[in-house]
């Protein structure tokens, strides 16, 4: 009986020692709300507000890479998108739209 009490107390002490939630684990307050507000989500990224940065962003938005344009075209056509899941977007675009000639 004495051994059972000692083993029970030892098990309780081990449980308290391993399951104790310290102050450091609660510092981040992520346990309350793990998701960020939309306004705060991009708060750590500083936008380039210089004239050169703004013009660079506009040029980048206007001129897309050919692969990106092909991928967008393929995503709009469902059979091409299904083919792309198995073979990749480059092969899917070539399979469905590669035979067309544009003038």
């Amino acid at each position: 009986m004495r051994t059972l009490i000692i083993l029970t107390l030892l098990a309780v002490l081990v449980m308290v020692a391993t399951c104790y939630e310290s102050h450091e684990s609660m510092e981040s307050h992520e346990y309350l709300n793990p998701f960020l507000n939309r306004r705060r989500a991009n708060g750590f990224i500083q936008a380039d507000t210089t004239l050169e940065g703004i013009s660079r962003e506009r040029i980048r938005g206007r001129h897309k890479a050919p692969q990106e344009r092909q991928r967008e075209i393929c995503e709009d056509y469902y059979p091409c998108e299904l083919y792309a899941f198995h073979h990749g977007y480059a092969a899917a675009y070539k399979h469905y739209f590669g035979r067309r000639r544009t003038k």
Side-chain angles (χ1 to χ4, degrees):
M1 183 71 168
R2 189 174 184 194
T3 309
L4 183 62
I5 293 172
I6 291 174
L7 286 175
T8 306
L9 287 175
L10 187 62
V12 169
L13 286 174
V14 168
M15 186 181 69
V16 168
T18 57
C19 296
Y20 174 71
E21 197 165 323
S22 65
H23 177 63
E24 288 85 19
S25 65
M26 300 175 82
E27 275 182 352
S28 65
H29 303 290
E30 290 178 355
Y31 64 95
L32 292 176
N33 190 6
F35 301 105
L36 287 175
N37 185 344
R38 280 187 185 177
R39 293 181 187 146
R40 289 183 52 214
N42 292 328
F44 60 92
I45 298 175
Q46 298 296 324
D48 192 3
T49 57
T50 62
L51 187 59
E52 182 182 341
I54 292 171
S55 65
R56 211 174 329 140
E57 185 65 30
R58 286 185 180 166
I59 290 171
R60 193 178 307 127
R62 245 185 279 145
H63 301 290
K64 293 181 181 177
Q67 294 86 2
E68 188 175 353
R69 274 190 250 124
Q70 290 175 358
R71 183 180 178 131
E72 288 176 356
I73 291 169
C74 190
E75 284 176 348
D76 290 338
Y77 187 55
Y78 187 69
C80 183
E81 188 175 15
L82 287 178
Y83 192 87
F85 285 135
H86 296 287
H87 304 284
Y89 279 100
Y93 183 83
K94 189 175 181 180
H95 178 75
Y96 283 98
F97 303 105
R99 289 180 235 118
R100 294 182 183 181
R101 299 208 181 249
T102 57
K103 292 183 182 181

